[in-house]
Amino acid sequence: MASFTELDSDAIQLQHRIERFHAVREGILSQVRQVIVGQEEVLDQVLIALFVGGHCLMTGMPGTAKTLMVRTIAEALGLRFRRIQFTPDLMPSDITGTDIIEEDLATGHRKWTFVEGPIFGNILLADEINRTPPKTQSALLEAMQEHSCTVRGHMYELPAPFFVLATQNPIELEGTYPLPEAQLDRFLFNSILDYLNADDELKVIDLTTATRVVRVEPVTSAEELLDFQQLVRMVPIAETLSRYVVSLVRATRHKSENAPDFVKKYVNYGGSTRAAQFIVLAAKARALSRKRYHVSYDDITSLILPVLRHRILLNFHAESDRIDTDEILNRLIAHVPRPREN
């Protein structure tokens, strides 16, 4: 049994880790807000994804600062940033890297040498990810799930931490390829970037049309970010809230006994167990970010839409009635009884 001295030491150390978590989060926000105006909800979701160790799909109109936000966050985190512009002619080897034959000038012997692709970074910006065919998109599947890639039968570990922050345009359909459901399911969030309000647009114009140059300073490191991911997992959640998450995710499946009539009418496929895992993990990160040391009902409901909106497949009845995924999820939140919090 641990002594009181050891327990006190562990508690003090944990308190220091928590204080450092909050300091780093505020530091990241301070650095990013020098460049990015507005989009507070999306920025919060991206930070939650980073503290959880998940990937984020960012959907928004052209000119909504998707790429700029990702690049600025990477600079503030002090991580290795890589960018891939997805195009129809992009090949899987352009992402993962490839083996080449090199000749030793001294001996004349030839050997295979692996040349790393841009996937070997900490933060990978997959820009316009839906502009490349599914074969190339699938090159990211192993990396996103296993944090490794396999080339010619050899497996290579990716640096830790590893995040994929992908962007896509929601309106331009010509020359695009829908992401496979297996790949969509690996994204923690599908964050929607909307237009800014008039005041924020004015701030953007003032910031970007003058001579002001912003220098973003790193406020943390890869090792510290990995520690924060473990810290987030230590946040407790009541069993009633865990059961609520499971009930809500199960209710998205039209064959479930608990599925409401509107789900049975409009939904073809619902969320998987991974969706429930992601909701709980993201809720833990949100709770800790707000200086609370347990998950609340609001933590869960505020994250249901970004976690589930890309995991729910609607049928032609929903399209005919002009009902989108967000409306289905909002109805579901209202339908499933709120749990009692201990």
Side-chain angles (χ1 to χ4, degrees):
M1 180 179 294
S3 66
F4 287 114
T5 303
E6 290 172 335
L7 291 175
D8 287 344
S9 176
D10 290 343
I12 292 172
Q13 184 181 17
L14 180 60
Q15 185 63 35
H16 286 328
R17 291 170 68 189
I18 293 172
E19 291 173 356
R20 179 59 183 162
F21 173 88
H22 294 309
V24 167
R25 184 177 183 276
E26 289 303 317
I28 294 171
L29 290 174
S30 176
Q31 293 295 319
V32 172
R33 283 169 180 157
Q34 296 181 83
V35 180
I36 302 298
V37 177
Q39 307 293 4
E40 295 296 328
E41 185 176 3
V42 175
L43 181 56
D44 185 46
Q45 290 169 10
V46 173
L47 289 184
I48 287 173
L50 296 175
F51 290 137
V52 166
H55 312 288
C56 190
L57 179 64
M58 304 169 69
T59 304
M61 305 289 284
T64 50
K66 300 184 295 293
T67 303
L68 181 62
M69 179 183 292
V70 174
R71 183 184 296 275
T72 306
I73 290 173
E75 292 175 357
L77 290 170
L79 301 180
R80 292 169 57 192
F81 174 74
R82 298 290 184 269
R83 181 180 184 272
I84 303 175
Q85 183 64 53
F86 279 69
T87 57
D89 60 346
L90 192 73
M91 299 296 292
S93 59
D94 296 329
I95 298 174
T96 61
T98 187
D99 284 321
I100 63 172
I101 297 178
E102 283 190 337
E103 182 176 347
D104 190 326
L105 297 179
T107 63
H109 293 158
R110 297 179 178 180
K111 62 178 181 179
W112 287 101
T113 302
F114 178 66
V115 178
E116 295 181 351
I119 201 172
F120 286 86
N122 295 119
I123 292 185
L124 175 66
L125 171 59
D127 213 4
E128 301 286 358
I129 191 174
N130 58 336
R131 288 199 170 279
T132 198
K135 178 181 178 181
T136 304
Q137 292 173 358
S138 65
L140 286 176
L141 285 177
E142 180 186 358
M144 293 174 69
Q145 185 63 32
E146 307 296 337
H147 291 190
S148 64
C149 71
T150 303
V151 179
R152 293 184 65 251
H154 299 284
M155 188 179 74
Y156 301 92
E157 293 292 329
L158 299 178
F162 174 73
F163 308 101
V164 174
L165 301 179
T167 69
Q168 66 176 4
N169 184 338
I171 60 168
E172 196 171 353
L173 300 179
E174 185 175 352
T176 63
Y177 305 83
L179 269 65
E181 280 69 29
Q183 185 170 4
L184 282 172
D185 196 47
R186 283 165 171 78
F187 284 104
L188 170 62
F189 289 139
N190 181 6
S191 301
I192 305 296
L193 281 84
D194 207 347
Y195 289 121
L196 300 174
N197 59 43
D199 291 337
D200 284 344
E201 285 199 32
L202 185 60
K203 291 179 184 177
V204 171
I205 292 173
D206 291 339
L207 286 173
T208 57
T209 60
T211 58
R212 175 174 175 265
V213 177
V214 175
R215 181 176 177 82
V216 177
E217 300 290 342
V219 297
T220 185
S221 63
E223 294 75 17
E224 197 169 42
L225 198 54
L226 291 172
D227 180 65
F228 292 156
Q229 292 175 8
Q230 295 303 312
L231 185 64
V232 163
R233 290 173 176 267
M234 295 169 64
V235 176
I237 179 172
E239 183 181 350
T240 53
L241 290 175
S242 295
R243 288 185 179 276
Y244 170 77
V245 172
V246 171
S247 298
L248 191 140
V249 171
R250 290 178 64 85
T252 64
R253 307 164 191 166
H254 71 279
K255 292 184 179 180
S256 172
E257 67 278 5
N258 298 325
D261 291 339
F262 60 86
V263 168
K264 294 178 180 178
K265 179 178 179 181
Y266 294 124
V267 177
N268 269 348
Y269 297 98
S272 65
T273 304
R274 182 183 284 138
Q277 293 172 318
F278 279 165
I279 291 173
V280 170
L281 275 174
K284 288 185 174 187
R286 186 180 187 273
L288 189 59
S289 297
R290 281 149 180 78
K291 300 184 179 181
R292 285 185 283 99
Y293 307 125
H294 63 88
V295 175
S296 71
Y297 173 77
D298 290 338
D299 292 324
I300 292 171
T301 54
S302 66
L303 297 171
I304 285 173
L305 266 65
V307 172
L308 286 177
R309 64 162 56 104
H310 57 297
R311 293 182 163 86
I312 308 297
L313 269 65
L314 304 183
N315 56 30
F316 67 93
H317 292 296
E319 184 177 356
S320 176
D321 292 347
R322 297 185 177 182
I323 292 179
D324 61 11
T325 307
D326 284 13
E327 183 174 345
I328 293 292
L329 293 174
N330 282 321
R331 286 194 195 181
L332 204 57
I333 293 171
H335 174 83
V336 178
R338 175 171 179 160
R340 290 186 301 174
E341 298 180 53
N342 295 335

